[in-house]
Amino acid sequence: MNTGKRPSTLLYLLLVFAALFVFFAAGYGLMSLIYRWTGTPPDFWTHILSGLMGIIFFAGLVTIARLLMSRFNKGIRQHQSMQSQLLNALSRIAQGDFDVFVNTRNVFFYDDIAQGINKIAKELGSLEQMRQDFISNVSHEIQSPLTSIRGFATLLKNDALTVEQKNHYLDIIEAESKRLSSLSDNLLKLSTLETGNEPLSIKEFRLDKQLEKVALMLEPQWSNKNITMEADMEKLTIQGDEDLLSQVWINLLHNAIKFTPEGGLIRIILKASNDEVSCQISDTGIGIAPKDLIHIFERFYKVDKSRDRALGGNGLGLSLAKKIVELHGGRITPQSELGKGTTFIIYLPRLHSV
């Protein structure tokens, strides 16, 4: 044990004596230079002054070394603290805790890493909130028709019901089943489009003919409400996914019919401008307030939840329409005013670019 310590102790003593020799020699040399200007004092004072200068040099070096070591140790402690914070933040994020913020405390070379972690935590927290909201909304949308189906199915067990009552309950069950089917279809379409698992089936087709076909398909709905359907459409050919774009027009016209009162008006205007086409679908319906207009493309958002549910909506139609338009390199712009109707303008490129 002792033989292991002696070399290190001896080396330390040798270094100390070497340092003393160097600094006393430096002190002697400096004093010799000073004596050239001031003259040489007696030998006794020459040795005393040279020794004092050597001690001053040595003390100064020790002080500087201690300051440097103190700053170095402080820096090490700062680095260790920052590393601990960073590792702790990453560990919390990995465990699903996104309420994380790393303060660099002026340790500048950790700034980029800390800002990156803070950004990741914030974005993951937003995504987690969206996921929770999505699950909550889906659960709510599924629960409502299921409750109706279960309730009216129970009522049908009553043998005292008349044929008219049974048919009424069966109609409700059928309508709620369609709501569930529509919700499932729209969720599947949105998921497929957002993940990009199914590429667009691009082909050339007449857009005016497609809009005319959709309007005629929905004729029973708008004619039952005595709604006037007007169309001013140029003969236009575009490149796009015909089936997906058909879904856009169905969703927009269905909403226009749904929220336009008896005897109202729906107008379709289709025209070309440079390399794009614009399709304007306007109605004289109830309109949308500005505070709601900014949210209408969000999933499950409903301007009037009670009214929309009674009319069979699930809050996914506009989200789906916007996604399809954007996949085609286009954009959709809403304009609305309460009591004065709503207008959607869809801009699409005539030629699809991959």
Side-chain angles (χ1 to χ4, degrees), residues 223-350:
S223 62
N224 285 340
K225 296 179 69 175
N226 296 315
I227 293 173
T228 300
M229 182 72 70
E230 293 183 355
D232 179 11
M233 298 186 290
E234 296 181 17
K235 294 181 180 179
L236 293 175
T237 300
I238 69 167
Q239 292 180 354
D241 191 312
E242 189 172 6
D243 291 337
L244 286 178
L245 286 174
S246 178
Q247 186 68 53
V248 173
W249 317 129
I250 291 172
N251 289 353
L252 293 177
L253 285 172
H254 179 72
N255 278 353
I257 296 167
K258 184 166 60 174
F259 295 112
T260 298
E262 189 88 12
L265 171 67
I266 295 175
R267 181 180 289 110
I268 304 172
I269 300 174
L270 179 64
K271 58 184 179 180
S273 173
N274 297 326
D275 294 330
E276 68 177 5
V277 301
S278 65
C279 178
Q280 178 177 311
I281 298 177
S282 305
D283 63 58
T284 57
I286 60 177
I288 305 169
K291 66 181 180 65
D292 294 311
L293 195 61
I294 61 176
H295 297 291
I296 59 173
F297 293 114
E298 296 175 9
R299 293 180 181 182
F300 299 107
Y301 188 83
K302 298 178 182 180
V303 175
D304 186 341
K305 294 180 173 56
S306 59
R307 179 181 175 85
D308 205 30
R309 183 171 295 111
L311 295 172
N314 55 42
L316 290 175
L318 289 178
S319 298
L320 185 59
K322 184 173 185 288
K323 186 64 181 179
I324 293 171
V325 170
E326 289 177 345
L327 285 174
H328 282 80
R331 61 193 187 279
I332 179 169
T333 304
Q335 300 171 358
S336 189
E337 190 175 343
L338 279 176
K340 295 186 178 181
T342 301
T343 297
F344 285 95
I345 306 175
I346 300 89
Y347 300 93
L348 292 169
R350 299 191 71 167

Side-chain angles (χ1 to χ4, degrees), residues 98-117:
F98 306 121
D99 188 17
V100 170
F101 180 79
V102 180
N103 186 357
T104 59
R105 294 181 182 175
N106 298 322
V107 185
F108 66 92
F109 38 81
Y110 282 112
D111 280 350
D112 291 342
I113 299 175
Q115 290 174 12
I117 291 176

Side-chain angles (χ1 to χ4, degrees), residues 15 47 55 62 76 78 90 120-121 138 176 218 228 258 278 305:
L15 288 173
H47 295 308
I55 292 173
V62 171
I76 289 178
Q78 281 186 322
L90 291 172
I120 290 171
V138 170
E176 294 297 88
L218 296 174
T228 300
K258 184 166 60 174
S278 65
K305 294 180 173 56

Side-chain angles (χ1 to χ4, degrees), residues 70-93:
S70 175
R71 293 181 65 86
F72 180 73
N73 290 333
K74 182 180 179 181
I76 289 178
R77 287 194 297 271
Q78 281 186 322
H79 297 323
Q80 291 173 340
S81 175
M82 282 305 306
Q83 289 173 357
S84 177
Q85 284 190 60
L86 294 173
L87 290 174
N88 180 57
L90 291 172
S91 176
R92 288 172 60 186
I93 291 173

Side-chain angles (χ1 to χ4, degrees), residues 134-152:
F134 178 76
I135 292 173
S136 176
N137 286 325
V138 170
S139 300
H140 179 76
E141 290 297 327
I142 291 175
Q143 188 61 38
S144 179
L146 283 178
T147 300
S148 295
I149 291 171
R150 183 170 59 249
F152 287 105

Side-chain angles (χ1 to χ4, degrees), residues 179-222:
R179 273 185 63 193
L180 278 176
S181 178
S182 174
L183 174 63
S184 175
D185 289 343
N186 285 338
L187 283 173
L188 183 59
K189 286 177 185 175
L190 269 175
S191 176
T192 302
L193 292 174
E194 289 182 345
T195 55
N197 291 334
E198 188 174 326
L200 299 180
S201 179
I202 302 299
K203 63 180 179 180
E204 198 169 81
F205 66 94
R206 283 274 297 275
L207 183 56
D208 57 302
K209 289 291 186 182
Q210 185 184 56
L211 282 161
E212 181 182 346
K213 181 180 178 181
V214 171
L216 290 174
M217 181 183 71
L218 296 174
E219 183 177 7
Q221 298 178 27
W222 50 266

